Amino acid sequence: MKKMLIDGGDKMDQQNNFNVGELLAGMTIKEKIGQLIQLLPSFVKENASGAVTGPMEQMGLTREDISNIGSVLATTSAGEMMEIQKLFLDKNEKKIPLLFMADVIHGFRTIFPIPLAIGCTWDMELAEKSAEISAREAAAAGINVTFSPMVDLVRDPRWGRVMESTGEDPYLNSLFARAFVRGYQGKNLRDKERIAACVKHFAAYGVPEGGRDYNTVDMSERVLREYYLPSYKAALEEDCKMLMTSFNTVDGIPSTGNKYLMKDILRDEWGFDGVVISDWAAVLELMVHGVAEGRKEAAHMALEAEVDIEMMSSCYVEHAEELIKEGMISIEQIDRCVYRILKLKEELGLFEDPYRGVSVKKEKEVLLCEAHRKSAREIAASSMVLLKNEGVLPLSRDKKAAVIGPLGDNKEILGFWICTGKSEEAVTLKEGISGKILKQNILYSKGCGITDGTDEELEEAVETAKAADVVILALGENQERVGESTSRAHIELEGRQMELARRVLELSKPTVVVLFNGRPIEIRELLSSCSAVLEAWFPGTEGGNAVADILFGDVNPSGRLSMSFPYTVGQIPVYYNNLNTGRPKGSEDNNKRFVSSYMDIPNSPLLPFGFGLSYSKFEYSDFKLDKTSFSKGEVIKASVKVRNSGGYTGIETVKLYIRDLHGSVVRPVKELKSFRRIKLVPGEEQVVEFQIKEEMLRFYNRKLEFKSEPGKFKAMIGSNSSELNDIDFELI
Ligand code: GLC
């Protein structure tokens, strides 16, 4: 990360003659504090009408305050952005343009699969492409910054925001964090088709106790650094321009007021000199948490933690000036915050062109264009995971197919954070299938709702299924019931969906289940009773076409789970890189007592991290290491042969795991350290090679030193995290 120059002004940038330092030096205190405020665009519109009413009044804001703010969030079009920017600049004395920010999480108008689905692609190029297209569309609509990527590591599907994460592994999450930042920002933020990224939610928001959103997060600093911080750091190393604080506490202090996290680690240790923004009203919430008595103390804590922008609350605007006058906060501290914000505006070219060249005409050309839809379809198909297939898929095109279920012809398959995406523009599963087989060969019945249903609907669906050769059962979640503030204590399919599935399965017809959901759900019964199960997640605008591409064999499924599916909710948290304990159960058929196990369920997840099937058949053989001991600076070459003995060309993700058999702290039974995606035609065999390096073996020890320790290790290789070949080696 680049070090910030703030000695009265940054070096003149060759590309432009704007000097942020000079602007800063000429600003009043009120103008400086204004830059730290972010509000909804309606505040600017309202102020234009001169009325100090409603939310503005409730937040104690004056017209002068509004005329000095630094940024707005959640505009949705080029027209709105141009209107707001003009209204604002007409009133802002120094003509400092607003920054426009929004939650462009998995698409802007063309909606891509949810990030948890993209995490199952294991394909950084596809992830980067989805972010690049999202940036192109968002920039065309006047957005300058996206509140993405969300890189919180997740282990608890009761938490509805797992949909926004790429999964349970720090190494994989870190690669995706980098890919998304590259996609959004490109190489130069002056490129008007790129936007700044904002990595979130720092830190460890993804593991609230009980899976309940906004709840307490508490863990050792060692675990925090080992598992939860790497993906944020990876995004910042990729030059991510902004970072958002998380709502939760970390070690008893809410992130937004947590100086150790925000300043000691983020600024001082990592050297991050970009913009830090609070999450929505998280500065004010320091009072609710109980670490700040009033708004003034909340402002003081957050400023001390070097949180530059207060989103949607007004502690800074009410008390920052007072804090400066009382010497509680230095003007230099305020200047650092303001400088970082102005620097970002300068990097985006806003001082040359506050509108960044947007136009309604260009917006119309770019949003949801055919090329973007085509990419969305490709990425969606690559994100889907084949969980079971007993000779049913791919479907032949001359059979009569009954599409049954609440998600069979449902356009609500975009997910939760859909920006300006419109469900009516989504392709449903039934519509996708109608692009593959004759319409007269497609039957359809809804069968029930996602959370409700009638006997008549259910009976009609059974009759429809009877008339078909194969049944495609489309089940899942309501897209409004995943995402923020959607925690569930039970994670089965809701309503009468399982009743519908049982009735259809009684017909003993080949039945394929297609799941549209935003989190791992309980599917034990479905997995055992159906011939095939395809996890489609919330696949986005082109979802129905992508599912149909897989069902009929035009795409060979290649997705691999980036988050474990629990056997049941009582097993949570369940994840692949667990510790061994002193009484490991070992294999599931070990019925001994006094081992770490349940009396009523297995220890293993229903489906493990890395799992996914293909229409191809991949066989591993000849796993070897070129040496079984090495020292720092050397590498061990690992290789394995992978052969496609199936009849379809397919993509396999070959994964290398490593276990440190003895450490100064207990080490996980396995950790993902590398992987290769390879394409094999039928009968083809490839030798896949990896290099095992000493840095792969480093971890945080008791003293929080990140280092390896000599000793014995196990290298494991395979298609998922449970079926592995292994070889021992030693670091000397
Ligand atoms: C929300 C979310 C955050 C989002 C922000 C702005 O509360 O926690 O992820 O970016 O507010 O919408």
Side-chain angles (χ1 to χ4, degrees), residues 107-136:
F108 182 76
R109 176 70 175 277
T110 305
I111 302 303
F112 293 95
I114 57 174
L116 186 60
I118 293 188
C120 294
T121 67
W122 293 60
D123 187 332
M124 302 315 141
E125 283 174 27
L126 283 186
E128 183 172 340
K129 187 174 186 66
S130 74
E132 181 183 352
I133 292 171
S134 304
R136 186 176 302 128

Short mmCIF file of all heavy atoms in Angstrom, two decimals, residues 107-136:
data_model
loop_
_atom_site.label_atom_id
_atom_site.label_comp_id
_atom_site.label_asym_id
_atom_site.label_seq_id
_atom_site.Cartn_x
_atom_site.Cartn_y
_atom_site.Cartn_z
N GLY A 107 -23.34 -7.06 -9.11
CA GLY A 107 -23.95 -6.52 -10.32
C GLY A 107 -24.64 -5.21 -10.03
O GLY A 107 -24.97 -4.91 -8.88
N PHE A 108 -24.85 -4.42 -11.09
CA PHE A 108 -25.54 -3.14 -10.94
C PHE A 108 -26.92 -3.23 -11.56
O PHE A 108 -27.92 -3.07 -10.89
CB PHE A 108 -24.73 -2.00 -11.59
CG PHE A 108 -25.38 -0.66 -11.41
CD1 PHE A 108 -25.33 -0.01 -10.19
CD2 PHE A 108 -26.09 -0.07 -12.44
CE1 PHE A 108 -25.94 1.23 -10.00
CE2 PHE A 108 -26.72 1.16 -12.27
CZ PHE A 108 -26.65 1.81 -11.04
N ARG A 109 -27.01 -3.47 -12.85
CA ARG A 109 -28.31 -3.74 -13.50
C ARG A 109 -28.32 -5.18 -14.03
O ARG A 109 -29.27 -5.91 -13.83
CB ARG A 109 -28.50 -2.76 -14.66
CG ARG A 109 -29.73 -2.95 -15.49
CD ARG A 109 -31.00 -2.58 -14.73
NE ARG A 109 -32.14 -2.67 -15.61
CZ ARG A 109 -32.48 -1.68 -16.44
NH1 ARG A 109 -31.77 -0.54 -16.47
NH2 ARG A 109 -33.53 -1.82 -17.23
N THR A 110 -27.22 -5.60 -14.68
CA THR A 110 -27.03 -7.02 -14.97
C THR A 110 -26.59 -7.67 -13.67
O THR A 110 -25.56 -7.29 -13.12
CB THR A 110 -25.92 -7.21 -16.03
OG1 THR A 110 -26.23 -6.43 -17.18
CG2 THR A 110 -25.78 -8.68 -16.38
N ILE A 111 -27.38 -8.59 -13.16
CA ILE A 111 -27.08 -9.16 -11.84
C ILE A 111 -26.40 -10.51 -12.02
O ILE A 111 -26.86 -11.37 -12.76
CB ILE A 111 -28.35 -9.27 -11.00
CG1 ILE A 111 -28.99 -7.88 -10.84
CG2 ILE A 111 -28.03 -9.85 -9.61
CD1 ILE A 111 -28.10 -6.81 -10.24
N PHE A 112 -25.27 -10.64 -11.32
CA PHE A 112 -24.47 -11.87 -11.36
C PHE A 112 -24.89 -12.76 -10.19
O PHE A 112 -25.64 -12.35 -9.32
CB PHE A 112 -22.99 -11.50 -11.28
CG PHE A 112 -22.52 -10.77 -12.49
CD1 PHE A 112 -22.49 -9.38 -12.50
CD2 PHE A 112 -22.18 -11.44 -13.65
CE1 PHE A 112 -22.11 -8.68 -13.64
CE2 PHE A 112 -21.79 -10.75 -14.78
CZ PHE A 112 -21.76 -9.36 -14.79
N PRO A 113 -24.39 -14.00 -10.16
CA PRO A 113 -24.69 -14.84 -8.99
C PRO A 113 -24.18 -14.17 -7.71
O PRO A 113 -23.24 -13.38 -7.75
CB PRO A 113 -23.89 -16.12 -9.28
CG PRO A 113 -23.64 -16.12 -10.74
CD PRO A 113 -23.56 -14.69 -11.15
N ILE A 114 -24.82 -14.51 -6.61
CA ILE A 114 -24.37 -13.95 -5.32
C ILE A 114 -22.91 -14.32 -5.07
O ILE A 114 -22.45 -15.35 -5.60
CB ILE A 114 -25.27 -14.48 -4.18
CG1 ILE A 114 -25.27 -16.02 -4.14
CG2 ILE A 114 -26.67 -13.91 -4.28
CD1 ILE A 114 -26.01 -16.59 -2.93
N PRO A 115 -22.18 -13.55 -4.31
CA PRO A 115 -20.76 -13.85 -4.10
C PRO A 115 -20.47 -15.26 -3.57
O PRO A 115 -19.47 -15.87 -3.94
CB PRO A 115 -20.33 -12.77 -3.10
CG PRO A 115 -21.23 -11.62 -3.40
CD PRO A 115 -22.55 -12.24 -3.74
N LEU A 116 -21.37 -15.82 -2.76
CA LEU A 116 -21.15 -17.19 -2.28
C LEU A 116 -21.16 -18.17 -3.45
O LEU A 116 -20.40 -19.15 -3.47
CB LEU A 116 -22.21 -17.58 -1.25
CG LEU A 116 -22.00 -18.94 -0.56
CD1 LEU A 116 -20.67 -18.97 0.20
CD2 LEU A 116 -23.15 -19.25 0.40
N ALA A 117 -21.94 -17.85 -4.46
CA ALA A 117 -21.96 -18.69 -5.67
C ALA A 117 -20.67 -18.47 -6.46
O ALA A 117 -20.02 -19.41 -6.90
CB ALA A 117 -23.17 -18.34 -6.52
N ILE A 118 -20.27 -17.22 -6.61
CA ILE A 118 -19.02 -16.93 -7.33
C ILE A 118 -17.85 -17.59 -6.60
O ILE A 118 -16.92 -18.10 -7.21
CB ILE A 118 -18.83 -15.41 -7.50
CG1 ILE A 118 -19.91 -14.88 -8.45
CG2 ILE A 118 -17.43 -15.08 -8.01
CD1 ILE A 118 -19.78 -13.47 -8.89
N GLY A 119 -17.95 -17.68 -5.27
CA GLY A 119 -16.92 -18.38 -4.50
C GLY A 119 -16.81 -19.83 -4.90
O GLY A 119 -15.75 -20.44 -4.81
N CYS A 120 -17.91 -20.41 -5.39
CA CYS A 120 -17.91 -21.83 -5.79
C CYS A 120 -17.35 -22.03 -7.20
O CYS A 120 -17.18 -23.16 -7.64
CB CYS A 120 -19.33 -22.39 -5.73
SG CYS A 120 -20.01 -22.49 -4.07
N THR A 121 -17.02 -20.93 -7.90
CA THR A 121 -16.38 -21.09 -9.22
C THR A 121 -14.90 -21.43 -9.06
O THR A 121 -14.30 -22.00 -9.96
CB THR A 121 -16.47 -19.80 -10.05
OG1 THR A 121 -15.67 -18.79 -9.41
CG2 THR A 121 -17.89 -19.32 -10.21
N TRP A 122 -14.30 -20.98 -7.97
CA TRP A 122 -12.84 -21.12 -7.75
C TRP A 122 -12.10 -20.49 -8.93
O TRP A 122 -10.96 -20.85 -9.22
CB TRP A 122 -12.43 -22.57 -7.58
CG TRP A 122 -12.96 -23.20 -6.32
CD1 TRP A 122 -14.28 -23.34 -6.00
CD2 TRP A 122 -12.23 -23.75 -5.23
NE1 TRP A 122 -14.41 -23.93 -4.76
CE2 TRP A 122 -13.17 -24.20 -4.27
CE3 TRP A 122 -10.88 -23.91 -4.95
CZ2 TRP A 122 -12.79 -24.81 -3.06
CZ3 TRP A 122 -10.49 -24.52 -3.75
CH2 TRP A 122 -11.45 -24.95 -2.81
N ASP A 123 -12.76 -19.53 -9.60
CA ASP A 123 -12.20 -18.96 -10.83
C ASP A 123 -12.05 -17.46 -10.66
O ASP A 123 -13.03 -16.70 -10.73
CB ASP A 123 -13.15 -19.27 -12.00
CG ASP A 123 -12.55 -18.86 -13.34
OD1 ASP A 123 -11.73 -17.91 -13.35
OD2 ASP A 123 -12.90 -19.46 -14.36
N MET A 124 -10.81 -17.01 -10.46
CA MET A 124 -10.58 -15.60 -10.19
C MET A 124 -10.83 -14.73 -11.41
O MET A 124 -11.22 -13.57 -11.29
CB MET A 124 -9.14 -15.40 -9.69
CG MET A 124 -8.81 -16.18 -8.44
SD MET A 124 -10.12 -16.07 -7.19
CE MET A 124 -10.12 -17.74 -6.55
N GLU A 125 -10.62 -15.31 -12.59
CA GLU A 125 -10.87 -14.52 -13.80
C GLU A 125 -12.36 -14.20 -13.94
O GLU A 125 -12.75 -13.09 -14.26
CB GLU A 125 -10.38 -15.28 -15.04
CG GLU A 125 -8.86 -15.23 -15.19
CD GLU A 125 -8.37 -16.12 -16.34
OE1 GLU A 125 -9.16 -16.34 -17.30
OE2 GLU A 125 -7.23 -16.60 -16.25
N LEU A 126 -13.20 -15.18 -13.65
CA LEU A 126 -14.65 -14.95 -13.73
C LEU A 126 -15.07 -13.94 -12.67
O LEU A 126 -15.90 -13.05 -12.93
CB LEU A 126 -15.42 -16.27 -13.53
CG LEU A 126 -15.48 -17.24 -14.70
CD1 LEU A 126 -16.40 -18.40 -14.37
CD2 LEU A 126 -15.94 -16.55 -15.98
N ALA A 127 -14.51 -14.05 -11.48
CA ALA A 127 -14.85 -13.10 -10.41
C ALA A 127 -14.46 -11.69 -10.82
O ALA A 127 -15.23 -10.74 -10.68
CB ALA A 127 -14.13 -13.50 -9.12
N GLU A 128 -13.27 -11.57 -11.37
CA GLU A 128 -12.78 -10.25 -11.81
C GLU A 128 -13.66 -9.71 -12.92
O GLU A 128 -14.03 -8.53 -12.93
CB GLU A 128 -11.33 -10.35 -12.27
CG GLU A 128 -10.72 -9.03 -12.68
CD GLU A 128 -9.22 -9.10 -12.95
OE1 GLU A 128 -8.57 -10.05 -12.47
OE2 GLU A 128 -8.71 -8.19 -13.64
N LYS A 129 -14.08 -10.59 -13.82
CA LYS A 129 -14.92 -10.15 -14.95
C LYS A 129 -16.27 -9.66 -14.44
O LYS A 129 -16.79 -8.64 -14.90
CB LYS A 129 -15.10 -11.31 -15.91
CG LYS A 129 -15.82 -10.95 -17.20
CD LYS A 129 -15.83 -12.12 -18.13
CE LYS A 129 -16.41 -11.79 -19.49
NZ LYS A 129 -15.58 -10.81 -20.26
N SER A 130 -16.83 -10.37 -13.45
CA SER A 130 -18.15 -9.93 -12.93
C SER A 130 -18.02 -8.56 -12.30
O SER A 130 -18.89 -7.70 -12.44
CB SER A 130 -18.66 -10.95 -11.92
OG SER A 130 -17.96 -10.88 -10.69
N ALA A 131 -16.89 -8.31 -11.62
CA ALA A 131 -16.69 -7.00 -10.99
C ALA A 131 -16.42 -5.92 -12.03
O ALA A 131 -16.90 -4.78 -11.91
CB ALA A 131 -15.51 -7.08 -10.00
N GLU A 132 -15.71 -6.29 -13.07
CA GLU A 132 -15.42 -5.31 -14.14
C GLU A 132 -16.71 -4.85 -14.82
O GLU A 132 -16.92 -3.66 -15.04
CB GLU A 132 -14.47 -5.94 -15.16
CG GLU A 132 -14.08 -5.00 -16.28
CD GLU A 132 -13.19 -5.66 -17.33
OE1 GLU A 132 -12.75 -6.81 -17.11
OE2 GLU A 132 -12.94 -5.03 -18.37
N ILE A 133 -17.57 -5.79 -15.12
CA ILE A 133 -18.84 -5.44 -15.76
C ILE A 133 -19.72 -4.64 -14.80
O ILE A 133 -20.34 -3.64 -15.17
CB ILE A 133 -19.57 -6.70 -16.25
CG1 ILE A 133 -18.79 -7.35 -17.39
CG2 ILE A 133 -21.00 -6.38 -16.68
CD1 ILE A 133 -19.31 -8.71 -17.80
N SER A 134 -19.73 -5.05 -13.52
CA SER A 134 -20.51 -4.31 -12.53
C SER A 134 -20.01 -2.87 -12.44
O SER A 134 -20.80 -1.93 -12.38
CB SER A 134 -20.36 -4.97 -11.15
OG SER A 134 -20.73 -6.32 -11.19
N ALA A 135 -18.69 -2.70 -12.48
CA ALA A 135 -18.11 -1.35 -12.41
C ALA A 135 -18.49 -0.54 -13.64
O ALA A 135 -18.86 0.63 -13.55
CB ALA A 135 -16.59 -1.45 -12.29
N ARG A 136 -18.44 -1.19 -14.81
CA ARG A 136 -18.76 -0.47 -16.06
C ARG A 136 -20.19 0.06 -15.99
O ARG A 136 -20.47 1.20 -16.32
CB ARG A 136 -18.58 -1.39 -17.26
CG ARG A 136 -18.75 -0.69 -18.60
CD ARG A 136 -18.48 -1.60 -19.78
NE ARG A 136 -17.14 -2.16 -19.72
CZ ARG A 136 -16.87 -3.47 -19.81
NH1 ARG A 136 -17.86 -4.34 -19.95
NH2 ARG A 136 -15.63 -3.91 -19.76
#
